[in-house]
Amino acid sequence: MIRQIDVNPDDWKFQRILWTDNQSSTSEPAVYRLATVTYGTKPAPYLAGRVLKQLLSDEGYKLPLAIEPFEKGSYIDDITGGADTLSRLNEIASQVEALYLTGYFPVAKWKINHPSFCKVNSSSLSSNTSHQFDESTCKILDMSWKCSPDILTFTGHTSQISAITKCIILSETAQLFDPLGLISPVIIRAKTQIQDLWLGKIGWDDPLTPQITHRWKTFRNELIDLASQKIKRWLNLTSDLSHVEIHGFPDAS
């Protein structure tokens, strides 16, 4: 997506790369200026999002059903959305795809929890890879959405790094991706250990005490159990509900 976005020619000079050909007799490197947004640079995600926002402003009035997914469900080159009925969902998907194409952004793939979705077997990009609906999974870091059963799962990945430091603990805690707060009790345990390290004024690479090291390794091994947790994505809510409250109850066992 990012390579599809042109940069103003006045700004090409700020995006340069040097290329040296080992077969060339000259030692002077060739200088190239990049004419599109460069993936990996700090402003790239913002520029991509800004282009989508402008695209919505320029063309959104023609495709009104695409407005909400763009405004509430877009994240760089991904977009999410849904509907209460399959027919409505197909209309939204068609308008979202059409809006992308007005900016010459072909949609590469779809992830869906219904086998009759109009785009389930289509793709704007040619591919030799066969796709089975029952096997469709969307993964973001350690969290996965298994589309057919419509459940959220966690990988429960554990690191094999033996040398535990404050830096390692912070890094491994950051990998526990949980934007919905589904495993907050687990992440809180990790963050309390980080808090103890700060209170103990332990440096980033200082050796930890055997007690702290054992405590973290025990926590890390227990993360394997996350893989057995299956959380239903849909809460049985529909758009015609004007007011919804969700309450938690303590475990009486």
Side-chain angles (χ1 to χ4, degrees):
M1 172 190 176
I2 289 177
R3 287 296 189 189
Q4 296 283 96
I5 304 172
D6 288 337
V7 171
N8 189 301
D10 293 339
D11 296 328
W12 290 359
K13 60 186 176 182
F14 300 116
Q15 297 188 141
R16 300 187 185 188
I17 59 173
L18 305 180
W19 180 268
T20 301
D21 188 349
N22 294 332
Q23 306 299 324
S24 176
S25 58
T26 177
S27 59
E28 290 295 324
V31 180
Y32 293 92
R33 295 180 299 171
L34 303 178
T36 61
V37 173
T38 303
Y39 180 80
T41 57
K42 287 185 177 181
Y46 164 76
L47 293 174
R50 182 62 182 85
V51 167
L52 286 186
K53 186 175 181 180
Q54 188 64 43
L55 189 64
L56 184 64
S57 176
D58 294 342
E59 307 291 340
Y61 70 95
K62 302 176 185 176
L63 303 159
L65 294 182
I67 293 177
E68 184 173 350
F70 265 75
E71 289 183 338
K72 298 182 179 180
S74 60
Y75 178 72
I76 307 180
D77 60 344
D78 291 321
I79 189 167
T80 63
D84 293 335
T85 64
L86 181 61
S87 59
R88 182 69 168 182
L89 182 63
N90 286 333
E91 292 179 25
I92 294 173
S94 296
Q95 292 199 18
V96 166
E97 186 175 46
L99 185 56
Y100 261 117
L101 288 176
T102 61
Y104 299 96
F105 298 122
V107 177
K109 58 187 176 183
W110 296 88
K111 297 291 184 180
I112 187 68
N113 65 346
H114 199 294
S116 298
F117 177 56
C118 66
K119 306 291 183 180
V120 74
N121 293 316
S122 67
S123 174
S124 299
L125 301 181
S126 60
S127 174
N128 296 323
T129 304
S130 61
H131 172 79
Q132 298 294 328
F133 171 73
D134 292 342
E135 300 173 358
S136 182
T137 299
C138 184
K139 183 178 180 182
I140 304 177
L141 299 181
D142 273 353
M143 191 173 98
S144 298
W145 172 41
K146 296 186 181 299
C147 304
S148 179
D150 201 11
I151 58 174
L152 301 174
T153 63
F154 292 87
T155 305
H157 173 74
T158 58
S159 173
Q160 300 300 319
I161 300 176
S162 57
I164 308 298
T165 63
K166 177 181 175 180
C167 185
I168 293 298
I169 290 178
L170 187 63
S171 175
E172 293 182 354
T173 300
Q175 295 176 33
L176 297 172
F177 184 70
D178 181 35
L180 299 177
L182 300 175
I183 56 172
S184 292
V186 176
I187 295 179
I188 287 174
R189 287 182 56 195
K191 291 186 175 181
T192 56
Q193 294 194 50
I194 294 176
Q195 185 179 45
D196 291 342
L197 297 177
W198 282 107
L199 293 175
K201 301 185 183 301
I202 297 174
W204 288 108
D205 299 310
D206 291 347
L208 304 181
T209 65
Q211 293 81 2
I212 294 178
T213 300
H214 174 74
R215 182 182 171 192
W216 183 255
K217 286 185 176 181
T218 300
F219 169 78
R220 180 197 278 173
N221 292 334
E222 291 173 352
L223 290 178
I224 299 175
D225 295 334
L226 284 178
S228 63
Q229 302 300 312
K230 298 179 180 179
I231 304 167
K232 292 183 178 180
R233 182 199 60 83
W234 188 43
L235 299 178
N236 294 328
L237 304 180
T238 57
S239 58
D240 58 349
L241 295 174
S242 59
H243 182 74
V244 176
E245 292 185 7
I246 299 178
H247 300 273
F249 297 92
D251 187 354
S253 61

